[in-house]
Each structure stands twice: as C-alpha cells, then as structure tokens.
Amino acid sequence: MNREKIKNLLDHHVPEPLGLEHRFSVLCPLIDVDGETHVLFEKRSLHLSSHTGEVSLPGGRIEEGETPREAAFRETIEELRIDPAHLNILGEGNYLVARNNRAVHVFIGTLEGIAVEDISPEPGEVAYVFTVPLSVFLNTEPEEHIIEFKKDRDDGFPYDLIPQTTVAPFRNIKDRIFFYKEAKEKEQIVWGMTAKIMRDVGKLLRKTITN
C-alpha cells in the first residue's frame, strides 16, 4: 500500500462523526426588540408530519452540493419568507450530534431592517414566530432533567456477545433534557434539542461579555 497516497488522502480529508445519516443546519436569528437583542424562534406548524407544534430555530436538511452555511441561509429565508437582504450570518457555532445519528450545524446571524411583526412565515411549516431576550440564554442555566432509555433483555439484541461489565450501561442509555421556562406562554417553552443548542450559544456568546 502506497503510504504517500494515504498521507495525501488524509491531508485533504475533512473529519466527520461516524455513522451520520443526515445533516441539518439551523440559524439562531438575533433581532432587536425595543432596543434589546432577542432570539427569534418558530412554533412549528400543526400540519407537519414530524416535530409538530414544537419550538425550533429556522433550519432544515442540508441538500446535495450545499454547504451547511448555505442551507441555514436558504432555510431561514424560505421559512420566514423574508428578503435575503435582511439576513446577515455572522458565523458558525458548535454543532450537535443527536442520538438518531443526525448532525445539526448551528449558525448565528442577525435580522436587520425588519421588525418581528413584519415577518409572515411560511404557514405550511411555521404556525407563528416569537422572541425571547438573548439575556435569558446569557445569564441563566436551563432546568435540567435526566431521562433514561431502558432496553428489554428480550429485544433480540445479542447481549451475550458483550462483556457482562458492559451490558448494564449499554442497555440503559441516559440523556440530559433542558428546559428554559422563561417564555410568556407554556407553549413557547424552549426545550429539548433547541434548548441544548441555545445553552451552547449562550455559553459561546457569553465570552463576548467577559473578554
């Protein structure tokens, strides 16, 4: 085997998490409301087949030949139905790898020259939009709950092929679920994957205050 070819391959290889099935991009849109910076969220439409009625950030699947940044821009424009001139992407934050083998790239941007009340989102995807002050994510930690996914020993999985010291933690998988309860309405509580993303965005942007 030609070691130089291997090295050349690795020099141009961009590492990615193993086992990814789909990649998505979302945008954390910052918008001024009465002189204060807010984050704009979507309440997903009841007509959607998945994640119906959930609180989310604008975004969606990255299409073939599209970069994560391009996908975040396109999806935001399509879902919010705004002129591209109103959207300025500042950069990319950390990305999330979910339990279902999906990677979610997170971008942070600003909505400029447009007010929240002037945004009329795509009704097939978005029921309505609302905002939460950015300070909530900068200054508070979300409420955290641990959820455990338990496996039945009779589910057909070959546990006998795994060392017994590994079986117990392998069968019972735990996850941390976050909730930001500062929303005006119960249906606007930021939770789950969106809360996990916003927790990290808050941690990242906090550095602009402390530095």
Side-chain angles (χ1 to χ4, degrees), residues 119-144:
I119 297 175
S120 179
E122 171 55 50
E125 296 190 55
V126 183
Y128 64 88
V129 296
F130 67 96
T131 68
V132 176
L134 177 62
S135 59
V136 168
F137 307 103
L138 293 176
N139 303 326
T140 63
E141 277 293 309
E143 185 175 296
E144 178 180 342

mmCIF file with all atom_site columns, all heavy atoms in Angstrom, residues 119-144:
data_model
loop_
_atom_site.group_PDB
_atom_site.id
_atom_site.type_symbol
_atom_site.label_atom_id
_atom_site.label_alt_id
_atom_site.label_comp_id
_atom_site.label_asym_id
_atom_site.label_entity_id
_atom_site.label_seq_id
_atom_site.pdbx_PDB_ins_code
_atom_site.Cartn_x
_atom_site.Cartn_y
_atom_site.Cartn_z
_atom_site.occupancy
_atom_site.B_iso_or_equiv
_atom_site.pdbx_formal_charge
_atom_site.auth_seq_id
_atom_site.auth_comp_id
_atom_site.auth_asym_id
_atom_site.auth_atom_id
_atom_site.pdbx_PDB_model_num
ATOM 1   N N   . ILE A 1 119 ? -42.746 39.980 10.003 1.00 0.00 ? 119 ILE A N   1
ATOM 2   C CA  . ILE A 1 119 ? -42.389 38.657 9.496  1.00 0.00 ? 119 ILE A CA  1
ATOM 3   C C   . ILE A 1 119 ? -43.643 37.801 9.393  1.00 0.00 ? 119 ILE A C   1
ATOM 4   O O   . ILE A 1 119 ? -44.349 37.585 10.378 1.00 0.00 ? 119 ILE A O   1
ATOM 5   C CB  . ILE A 1 119 ? -41.353 37.979 10.411 1.00 0.00 ? 119 ILE A CB  1
ATOM 6   C CG1 . ILE A 1 119 ? -40.053 38.792 10.420 1.00 0.00 ? 119 ILE A CG1 1
ATOM 7   C CG2 . ILE A 1 119 ? -41.083 36.532 9.956  1.00 0.00 ? 119 ILE A CG2 1
ATOM 8   C CD1 . ILE A 1 119 ? -39.006 38.270 11.385 1.00 0.00 ? 119 ILE A CD1 1
ATOM 9   N N   . SER A 1 120 ? -43.934 37.326 8.204  1.00 0.00 ? 120 SER A N   1
ATOM 10  C CA  . SER A 1 120 ? -45.092 36.465 7.952  1.00 0.00 ? 120 SER A CA  1
ATOM 11  C C   . SER A 1 120 ? -44.581 35.119 7.456  1.00 0.00 ? 120 SER A C   1
ATOM 12  O O   . SER A 1 120 ? -44.383 34.922 6.258  1.00 0.00 ? 120 SER A O   1
ATOM 13  C CB  . SER A 1 120 ? -46.018 37.105 6.910  1.00 0.00 ? 120 SER A CB  1
ATOM 14  O OG  . SER A 1 120 ? -47.124 36.280 6.640  1.00 0.00 ? 120 SER A OG  1
ATOM 15  N N   . PRO A 1 121 ? -44.336 34.171 8.371  1.00 0.00 ? 121 PRO A N   1
ATOM 16  C CA  . PRO A 1 121 ? -43.670 32.920 7.994  1.00 0.00 ? 121 PRO A CA  1
ATOM 17  C C   . PRO A 1 121 ? -44.504 32.014 7.098  1.00 0.00 ? 121 PRO A C   1
ATOM 18  O O   . PRO A 1 121 ? -45.725 32.199 6.973  1.00 0.00 ? 121 PRO A O   1
ATOM 19  C CB  . PRO A 1 121 ? -43.402 32.258 9.353  1.00 0.00 ? 121 PRO A CB  1
ATOM 20  C CG  . PRO A 1 121 ? -44.472 32.790 10.248 1.00 0.00 ? 121 PRO A CG  1
ATOM 21  C CD  . PRO A 1 121 ? -44.694 34.205 9.795  1.00 0.00 ? 121 PRO A CD  1
ATOM 22  N N   . GLU A 1 122 ? -43.850 31.049 6.487  1.00 0.00 ? 122 GLU A N   1
ATOM 23  C CA  . GLU A 1 122 ? -44.499 30.071 5.629  1.00 0.00 ? 122 GLU A CA  1
ATOM 24  C C   . GLU A 1 122 ? -45.478 29.235 6.454  1.00 0.00 ? 122 GLU A C   1
ATOM 25  O O   . GLU A 1 122 ? -45.072 28.474 7.337  1.00 0.00 ? 122 GLU A O   1
ATOM 26  C CB  . GLU A 1 122 ? -43.435 29.163 4.995  1.00 0.00 ? 122 GLU A CB  1
ATOM 27  C CG  . GLU A 1 122 ? -43.972 27.966 4.245  1.00 0.00 ? 122 GLU A CG  1
ATOM 28  C CD  . GLU A 1 122 ? -44.968 28.356 3.164  1.00 0.00 ? 122 GLU A CD  1
ATOM 29  O OE1 . GLU A 1 122 ? -44.651 29.256 2.368  1.00 0.00 ? 122 GLU A OE1 1
ATOM 30  O OE2 . GLU A 1 122 ? -46.066 27.773 3.137  1.00 0.00 ? 122 GLU A OE2 1
ATOM 31  N N   . PRO A 1 123 ? -46.800 29.360 6.224  1.00 0.00 ? 123 PRO A N   1
ATOM 32  C CA  . PRO A 1 123 ? -47.797 28.708 7.079  1.00 0.00 ? 123 PRO A CA  1
ATOM 33  C C   . PRO A 1 123 ? -47.755 27.182 7.048  1.00 0.00 ? 123 PRO A C   1
ATOM 34  O O   . PRO A 1 123 ? -48.179 26.526 8.002  1.00 0.00 ? 123 PRO A O   1
ATOM 35  C CB  . PRO A 1 123 ? -49.133 29.241 6.552  1.00 0.00 ? 123 PRO A CB  1
ATOM 36  C CG  . PRO A 1 123 ? -48.846 29.661 5.147  1.00 0.00 ? 123 PRO A CG  1
ATOM 37  C CD  . PRO A 1 123 ? -47.430 30.156 5.157  1.00 0.00 ? 123 PRO A CD  1
ATOM 38  N N   . GLY A 1 124 ? -47.238 26.608 5.961  1.00 0.00 ? 124 GLY A N   1
ATOM 39  C CA  . GLY A 1 124 ? -47.156 25.157 5.900  1.00 0.00 ? 124 GLY A CA  1
ATOM 40  C C   . GLY A 1 124 ? -46.111 24.578 6.834  1.00 0.00 ? 124 GLY A C   1
ATOM 41  O O   . GLY A 1 124 ? -46.152 23.397 7.165  1.00 0.00 ? 124 GLY A O   1
ATOM 42  N N   . GLU A 1 125 ? -45.169 25.420 7.267  1.00 0.00 ? 125 GLU A N   1
ATOM 43  C CA  . GLU A 1 125 ? -44.086 24.960 8.134  1.00 0.00 ? 125 GLU A CA  1
ATOM 44  C C   . GLU A 1 125 ? -44.093 25.635 9.500  1.00 0.00 ? 125 GLU A C   1
ATOM 45  O O   . GLU A 1 125 ? -43.675 25.025 10.495 1.00 0.00 ? 125 GLU A O   1
ATOM 46  C CB  . GLU A 1 125 ? -42.733 25.200 7.459  1.00 0.00 ? 125 GLU A CB  1
ATOM 47  C CG  . GLU A 1 125 ? -42.521 24.413 6.176  1.00 0.00 ? 125 GLU A CG  1
ATOM 48  C CD  . GLU A 1 125 ? -41.088 24.510 5.688  1.00 0.00 ? 125 GLU A CD  1
ATOM 49  O OE1 . GLU A 1 125 ? -40.180 24.197 6.472  1.00 0.00 ? 125 GLU A OE1 1
ATOM 50  O OE2 . GLU A 1 125 ? -40.888 24.908 4.534  1.00 0.00 ? 125 GLU A OE2 1
ATOM 51  N N   . VAL A 1 126 ? -44.539 26.886 9.544  1.00 0.00 ? 126 VAL A N   1
ATOM 52  C CA  . VAL A 1 126 ? -44.443 27.663 10.775 1.00 0.00 ? 126 VAL A CA  1
ATOM 53  C C   . VAL A 1 126 ? -45.802 28.240 11.147 1.00 0.00 ? 126 VAL A C   1
ATOM 54  O O   . VAL A 1 126 ? -46.425 28.944 10.342 1.00 0.00 ? 126 VAL A O   1
ATOM 55  C CB  . VAL A 1 126 ? -43.418 28.818 10.612 1.00 0.00 ? 126 VAL A CB  1
ATOM 56  C CG1 . VAL A 1 126 ? -43.261 29.575 11.928 1.00 0.00 ? 126 VAL A CG1 1
ATOM 57  C CG2 . VAL A 1 126 ? -42.083 28.281 10.118 1.00 0.00 ? 126 VAL A CG2 1
ATOM 58  N N   . ALA A 1 127 ? -46.247 27.943 12.374 1.00 0.00 ? 127 ALA A N   1
ATOM 59  C CA  . ALA A 1 127 ? -47.523 28.484 12.845 1.00 0.00 ? 127 ALA A CA  1
ATOM 60  C C   . ALA A 1 127 ? -47.379 29.978 13.148 1.00 0.00 ? 127 ALA A C   1
ATOM 61  O O   . ALA A 1 127 ? -48.215 30.781 12.748 1.00 0.00 ? 127 ALA A O   1
ATOM 62  C CB  . ALA A 1 127 ? -47.994 27.726 14.080 1.00 0.00 ? 127 ALA A CB  1
ATOM 63  N N   . TYR A 1 128 ? -46.321 30.325 13.853 1.00 0.00 ? 128 TYR A N   1
ATOM 64  C CA  . TYR A 1 128 ? -46.035 31.730 14.151 1.00 0.00 ? 128 TYR A CA  1
ATOM 65  C C   . TYR A 1 128 ? -44.614 31.837 14.692 1.00 0.00 ? 128 TYR A C   1
ATOM 66  O O   . TYR A 1 128 ? -43.962 30.825 14.996 1.00 0.00 ? 128 TYR A O   1
ATOM 67  C CB  . TYR A 1 128 ? -47.033 32.323 15.150 1.00 0.00 ? 128 TYR A CB  1
ATOM 68  C CG  . TYR A 1 128 ? -47.013 31.697 16.532 1.00 0.00 ? 128 TYR A CG  1
ATOM 69  C CD1 . TYR A 1 128 ? -46.154 32.158 17.528 1.00 0.00 ? 128 TYR A CD1 1
ATOM 70  C CD2 . TYR A 1 128 ? -47.878 30.652 16.863 1.00 0.00 ? 128 TYR A CD2 1
ATOM 71  C CE1 . TYR A 1 128 ? -46.143 31.598 18.794 1.00 0.00 ? 128 TYR A CE1 1
ATOM 72  C CE2 . TYR A 1 128 ? -47.875 30.080 18.131 1.00 0.00 ? 128 TYR A CE2 1
ATOM 73  C CZ  . TYR A 1 128 ? -47.003 30.563 19.087 1.00 0.00 ? 128 TYR A CZ  1
ATOM 74  O OH  . TYR A 1 128 ? -46.987 29.993 20.347 1.00 0.00 ? 128 TYR A OH  1
ATOM 75  N N   . VAL A 1 129 ? -44.102 33.058 14.792 1.00 0.00 ? 129 VAL A N   1
ATOM 76  C CA  . VAL A 1 129 ? -42.780 33.297 15.363 1.00 0.00 ? 129 VAL A CA  1
ATOM 77  C C   . VAL A 1 129 ? -42.940 34.112 16.642 1.00 0.00 ? 129 VAL A C   1
ATOM 78  O O   . VAL A 1 129 ? -43.929 34.834 16.826 1.00 0.00 ? 129 VAL A O   1
ATOM 79  C CB  . VAL A 1 129 ? -41.846 34.024 14.380 1.00 0.00 ? 129 VAL A CB  1
ATOM 80  C CG1 . VAL A 1 129 ? -41.581 33.163 13.162 1.00 0.00 ? 129 VAL A CG1 1
ATOM 81  C CG2 . VAL A 1 129 ? -42.399 35.385 13.973 1.00 0.00 ? 129 VAL A CG2 1
ATOM 82  N N   . PHE A 1 130 ? -41.965 33.989 17.517 1.00 0.00 ? 130 PHE A N   1
ATOM 83  C CA  . PHE A 1 130 ? -41.948 34.772 18.750 1.00 0.00 ? 130 PHE A CA  1
ATOM 84  C C   . PHE A 1 130 ? -40.494 34.952 19.172 1.00 0.00 ? 130 PHE A C   1
ATOM 85  O O   . PHE A 1 130 ? -39.587 34.308 18.620 1.00 0.00 ? 130 PHE A O   1
ATOM 86  C CB  . PHE A 1 130 ? -42.755 34.092 19.864 1.00 0.00 ? 130 PHE A CB  1
ATOM 87  C CG  . PHE A 1 130 ? -42.158 32.791 20.350 1.00 0.00 ? 130 PHE A CG  1
ATOM 88  C CD1 . PHE A 1 130 ? -41.342 32.744 21.468 1.00 0.00 ? 130 PHE A CD1 1
ATOM 89  C CD2 . PHE A 1 130 ? -42.419 31.600 19.675 1.00 0.00 ? 130 PHE A CD2 1
ATOM 90  C CE1 . PHE A 1 130 ? -40.790 31.556 21.906 1.00 0.00 ? 130 PHE A CE1 1
ATOM 91  C CE2 . PHE A 1 130 ? -41.882 30.394 20.107 1.00 0.00 ? 130 PHE A CE2 1
ATOM 92  C CZ  . PHE A 1 130 ? -41.058 30.376 21.230 1.00 0.00 ? 130 PHE A CZ  1
ATOM 93  N N   . THR A 1 131 ? -40.247 35.815 20.132 1.00 0.00 ? 131 THR A N   1
ATOM 94  C CA  . THR A 1 131 ? -38.872 36.070 20.548 1.00 0.00 ? 131 THR A CA  1
ATOM 95  C C   . THR A 1 131 ? -38.702 35.887 22.052 1.00 0.00 ? 131 THR A C   1
ATOM 96  O O   . THR A 1 131 ? -39.655 35.990 22.823 1.00 0.00 ? 131 THR A O   1
ATOM 97  C CB  . THR A 1 131 ? -38.415 37.494 20.171 1.00 0.00 ? 131 THR A CB  1
ATOM 98  O OG1 . THR A 1 131 ? -39.142 38.458 20.954 1.00 0.00 ? 131 THR A OG1 1
ATOM 99  C CG2 . THR A 1 131 ? -38.626 37.754 18.687 1.00 0.00 ? 131 THR A CG2 1
ATOM 100 N N   . VAL A 1 132 ? -37.464 35.610 22.428 1.00 0.00 ? 132 VAL A N   1
ATOM 101 C CA  . VAL A 1 132 ? -37.047 35.522 23.830 1.00 0.00 ? 132 VAL A CA  1
ATOM 102 C C   . VAL A 1 132 ? -35.786 36.373 23.952 1.00 0.00 ? 132 VAL A C   1
ATOM 103 O O   . VAL A 1 132 ? -34.898 36.287 23.098 1.00 0.00 ? 132 VAL A O   1
ATOM 104 C CB  . VAL A 1 132 ? -36.744 34.060 24.240 1.00 0.00 ? 132 VAL A CB  1
ATOM 105 C CG1 . VAL A 1 132 ? -36.227 34.010 25.680 1.00 0.00 ? 132 VAL A CG1 1
ATOM 106 C CG2 . VAL A 1 132 ? -37.984 33.190 24.087 1.00 0.00 ? 132 VAL A CG2 1
ATOM 107 N N   . PRO A 1 133 ? -35.684 37.210 24.995 1.00 0.00 ? 133 PRO A N   1
ATOM 108 C CA  . PRO A 1 133 ? -34.471 38.030 25.139 1.00 0.00 ? 133 PRO A CA  1
ATOM 109 C C   . PRO A 1 133 ? -33.207 37.167 25.157 1.00 0.00 ? 133 PRO A C   1
ATOM 110 O O   . PRO A 1 133 ? -33.167 36.120 25.813 1.00 0.00 ? 133 PRO A O   1
ATOM 111 C CB  . PRO A 1 133 ? -34.683 38.737 26.483 1.00 0.00 ? 133 PRO A CB  1
ATOM 112 C CG  . PRO A 1 133 ? -36.166 38.792 26.651 1.00 0.00 ? 133 PRO A CG  1
ATOM 113 C CD  . PRO A 1 133 ? -36.676 37.508 26.056 1.00 0.00 ? 133 PRO A CD  1
ATOM 114 N N   . LEU A 1 134 ? -32.194 37.602 24.446 1.00 0.00 ? 134 LEU A N   1
ATOM 115 C CA  . LEU A 1 134 ? -30.932 36.875 24.441 1.00 0.00 ? 134 LEU A CA  1
ATOM 116 C C   . LEU A 1 134 ? -30.354 36.761 25.844 1.00 0.00 ? 134 LEU A C   1
ATOM 117 O O   . LEU A 1 134 ? -29.672 35.778 26.174 1.00 0.00 ? 134 LEU A O   1
ATOM 118 C CB  . LEU A 1 134 ? -29.929 37.585 23.515 1.00 0.00 ? 134 LEU A CB  1
ATOM 119 C CG  . LEU A 1 134 ? -28.514 37.000 23.451 1.00 0.00 ? 134 LEU A CG  1
ATOM 120 C CD1 . LEU A 1 134 ? -28.529 35.577 22.918 1.00 0.00 ? 134 LEU A CD1 1
ATOM 121 C CD2 . LEU A 1 134 ? -27.606 37.895 22.601 1.00 0.00 ? 134 LEU A CD2 1
ATOM 122 N N   . SER A 1 135 ? -30.635 37.739 26.685 1.00 0.00 ? 135 SER A N   1
ATOM 123 C CA  . SER A 1 135 ? -30.116 37.738 28.059 1.00 0.00 ? 135 SER A CA  1
ATOM 124 C C   . SER A 1 135 ? -30.525 36.487 28.833 1.00 0.00 ? 135 SER A C   1
ATOM 125 O O   . SER A 1 135 ? -29.817 36.061 29.753 1.00 0.00 ? 135 SER A O   1
ATOM 126 C CB  . SER A 1 135 ? -30.589 38.998 28.810 1.00 0.00 ? 135 SER A CB  1
ATOM 127 O OG  . SER A 1 135 ? -32.011 39.051 28.840 1.00 0.00 ? 135 SER A OG  1
ATOM 128 N N   . VAL A 1 136 ? -31.680 35.898 28.479 1.00 0.00 ? 136 VAL A N   1
ATOM 129 C CA  . VAL A 1 136 ? -32.119 34.664 29.140 1.00 0.00 ? 136 VAL A CA  1
ATOM 130 C C   . VAL A 1 136 ? -31.070 33.570 28.967 1.00 0.00 ? 136 VAL A C   1
ATOM 131 O O   . VAL A 1 136 ? -30.733 32.845 29.905 1.00 0.00 ? 136 VAL A O   1
ATOM 132 C CB  . VAL A 1 136 ? -33.480 34.193 28.574 1.00 0.00 ? 136 VAL A CB  1
ATOM 133 C CG1 . VAL A 1 136 ? -33.796 32.769 29.045 1.00 0.00 ? 136 VAL A CG1 1
ATOM 134 C CG2 . VAL A 1 136 ? -34.583 35.147 28.995 1.00 0.00 ? 136 VAL A CG2 1
ATOM 135 N N   . PHE A 1 137 ? -30.523 33.455 27.774 1.00 0.00 ? 137 PHE A N   1
ATOM 136 C CA  . PHE A 1 137 ? -29.564 32.393 27.477 1.00 0.00 ? 137 PHE A CA  1
ATOM 137 C C   . PHE A 1 137 ? -28.147 32.766 27.898 1.00 0.00 ? 137 PHE A C   1
ATOM 138 O O   . PHE A 1 137 ? -27.304 31.885 28.083 1.00 0.00 ? 137 PHE A O   1
ATOM 139 C CB  . PHE A 1 137 ? -29.619 32.073 25.983 1.00 0.00 ? 137 PHE A CB  1
ATOM 140 C CG  . PHE A 1 137 ? -31.011 31.775 25.513 1.00 0.00 ? 137 PHE A CG  1
ATOM 141 C CD1 . PHE A 1 137 ? -31.737 32.731 24.801 1.00 0.00 ? 137 PHE A CD1 1
ATOM 142 C CD2 . PHE A 1 137 ? -31.630 30.567 25.825 1.00 0.00 ? 137 PHE A CD2 1
ATOM 143 C CE1 . PHE A 1 137 ? -33.032 32.467 24.386 1.00 0.00 ? 137 PHE A CE1 1
ATOM 144 C CE2 . PHE A 1 137 ? -32.920 30.306 25.411 1.00 0.00 ? 137 PHE A CE2 1
ATOM 145 C CZ  . PHE A 1 137 ? -33.625 31.256 24.698 1.00 0.00 ? 137 PHE A CZ  1
ATOM 146 N N   . LEU A 1 138 ? -27.908 34.070 28.078 1.00 0.00 ? 138 LEU A N   1
ATOM 147 C CA  . LEU A 1 138 ? -26.598 34.516 28.545 1.00 0.00 ? 138 LEU A CA  1
ATOM 148 C C   . LEU A 1 138 ? -26.470 34.413 30.061 1.00 0.00 ? 138 LEU A C   1
ATOM 149 O O   . LEU A 1 138 ? -25.387 34.114 30.576 1.00 0.00 ? 138 LEU A O   1
ATOM 150 C CB  . LEU A 1 138 ? -26.350 35.973 28.124 1.00 0.00 ? 138 LEU A CB  1
ATOM 151 C CG  . LEU A 1 138 ? -26.203 36.261 26.629 1.00 0.00 ? 138 LEU A CG  1
ATOM 152 C CD1 . LEU A 1 138 ? -26.074 37.767 26.403 1.00 0.00 ? 138 LEU A CD1 1
ATOM 153 C CD2 . LEU A 1 138 ? -25.010 35.533 26.042 1.00 0.00 ? 138 LEU A CD2 1
ATOM 154 N N   . ASN A 1 139 ? -27.572 34.657 30.762 1.00 0.00 ? 139 ASN A N   1
ATOM 155 C CA  . ASN A 1 139 ? -27.498 34.828 32.218 1.00 0.00 ? 139 ASN A CA  1
ATOM 156 C C   . ASN A 1 139 ? -28.104 33.702 33.040 1.00 0.00 ? 139 ASN A C   1
ATOM 157 O O   . ASN A 1 139 ? -27.952 33.695 34.264 1.00 0.00 ? 139 ASN A O   1
ATOM 158 C CB  . ASN A 1 139 ? -28.176 36.151 32.613 1.00 0.00 ? 139 ASN A CB  1
ATOM 159 C CG  . ASN A 1 139 ? -27.561 37.342 31.904 1.00 0.00 ? 139 ASN A CG  1
ATOM 160 O OD1 . ASN A 1 139 ? -26.362 37.361 31.644 1.00 0.00 ? 139 ASN A OD1 1
ATOM 161 N ND2 . ASN A 1 139 ? -28.369 38.340 31.594 1.00 0.00 ? 139 ASN A ND2 1
ATOM 162 N N   . THR A 1 140 ? -28.808 32.776 32.407 1.00 0.00 ? 140 THR A N   1
ATOM 163 C CA  . THR A 1 140 ? -29.448 31.712 33.184 1.00 0.00 ? 140 THR A CA  1
ATOM 164 C C   . THR A 1 140 ? -29.099 30.343 32.622 1.00 0.00 ? 140 THR A C   1
ATOM 165 O O   . THR A 1 140 ? -28.875 30.191 31.424 1.00 0.00 ? 140 THR A O   1
ATOM 166 C CB  . THR A 1 140 ? -30.988 31.860 33.195 1.00 0.00 ? 140 THR A CB  1
ATOM 167 O OG1 . THR A 1 140 ? -31.476 31.727 31.846 1.00 0.00 ? 140 THR A OG1 1
ATOM 168 C CG2 . THR A 1 140 ? -31.407 33.192 33.757 1.00 0.00 ? 140 THR A CG2 1
ATOM 169 N N   . GLU A 1 141 ? -29.079 29.360 33.506 1.00 0.00 ? 141 GLU A N   1
ATOM 170 C CA  . GLU A 1 141 ? -28.900 27.972 33.097 1.00 0.00 ? 141 GLU A CA  1
ATOM 171 C C   . GLU A 1 141 ? -30.275 27.326 32.979 1.00 0.00 ? 141 GLU A C   1
ATOM 172 O O   . GLU A 1 141 ? -31.156 27.607 33.794 1.00 0.00 ? 141 GLU A O   1
ATOM 173 C CB  . GLU A 1 141 ? -28.053 27.212 34.107 1.00 0.00 ? 141 GLU A CB  1
ATOM 174 C CG  . GLU A 1 141 ? -26.554 27.401 33.925 1.00 0.00 ? 141 GLU A CG  1
ATOM 175 C CD  . GLU A 1 141 ? -26.048 26.784 32.613 1.00 0.00 ? 141 GLU A CD  1
ATOM 176 O OE1 . GLU A 1 141 ? -26.342 25.605 32.356 1.00 0.00 ? 141 GLU A OE1 1
ATOM 177 O OE2 . GLU A 1 141 ? -25.367 27.502 31.859 1.00 0.00 ? 141 GLU A OE2 1
ATOM 178 N N   . PRO A 1 142 ? -30.490 26.491 31.976 1.00 0.00 ? 142 PRO A N   1
ATOM 179 C CA  . PRO A 1 142 ? -31.800 25.848 31.838 1.00 0.00 ? 142 PRO A CA  1
ATOM 180 C C   . PRO A 1 142 ? -32.042 24.813 32.935 1.00 0.00 ? 142 PRO A C   1
ATOM 181 O O   . PRO A 1 142 ? -31.095 24.322 33.557 1.00 0.00 ? 142 PRO A O   1
ATOM 182 C CB  . PRO A 1 142 ? -31.702 25.164 30.466 1.00 0.00 ? 142 PRO A CB  1
ATOM 183 C CG  . PRO A 1 142 ? -30.244 24.885 30.313 1.00 0.00 ? 142 PRO A CG  1
ATOM 184 C CD  . PRO A 1 142 ? -29.534 26.049 30.946 1.00 0.00 ? 142 PRO A CD  1
ATOM 185 N N   . GLU A 1 143 ? -33.298 24.528 33.172 1.00 0.00 ? 143 GLU A N   1
ATOM 186 C CA  . GLU A 1 143 ? -33.650 23.440 34.081 1.00 0.00 ? 143 GLU A CA  1
ATOM 187 C C   . GLU A 1 143 ? -33.265 22.123 33.403 1.00 0.00 ? 143 GLU A C   1
ATOM 188 O O   . GLU A 1 143 ? -33.544 21.917 32.227 1.00 0.00 ? 143 GLU A O   1
ATOM 189 C CB  . GLU A 1 143 ? -35.149 23.482 34.368 1.00 0.00 ? 143 GLU A CB  1
ATOM 190 C CG  . GLU A 1 143 ? -35.626 22.474 35.396 1.00 0.00 ? 143 GLU A CG  1
ATOM 191 C CD  . GLU A 1 143 ? -37.095 22.666 35.702 1.00 0.00 ? 143 GLU A CD  1
ATOM 192 O OE1 . GLU A 1 143 ? -37.453 23.742 36.228 1.00 0.00 ? 143 GLU A OE1 1
ATOM 193 O OE2 . GLU A 1 143 ? -37.897 21.744 35.397 1.00 0.00 ? 143 GLU A OE2 1
ATOM 194 N N   . GLU A 1 144 ? -32.639 21.243 34.149 1.00 0.00 ? 144 GLU A N   1
ATOM 195 C CA  . GLU A 1 144 ? -32.119 20.010 33.559 1.00 0.00 ? 144 GLU A CA  1
ATOM 196 C C   . GLU A 1 144 ? -32.808 18.780 34.155 1.00 0.00 ? 144 GLU A C   1
ATOM 197 O O   . GLU A 1 144 ? -33.002 18.685 35.361 1.00 0.00 ? 144 GLU A O   1
ATOM 198 C CB  . GLU A 1 144 ? -30.614 19.923 33.802 1.00 0.00 ? 144 GLU A CB  1
ATOM 199 C CG  . GLU A 1 144 ? -29.969 18.662 33.263 1.00 0.00 ? 144 GLU A CG  1
ATOM 200 C CD  . GLU A 1 144 ? -28.474 18.612 33.534 1.00 0.00 ? 144 GLU A CD  1
ATOM 201 O OE1 . GLU A 1 144 ? -27.882 19.686 33.824 1.00 0.00 ? 144 GLU A OE1 1
ATOM 202 O OE2 . GLU A 1 144 ? -27.888 17.517 33.480 1.00 0.00 ? 144 GLU A OE2 1
#
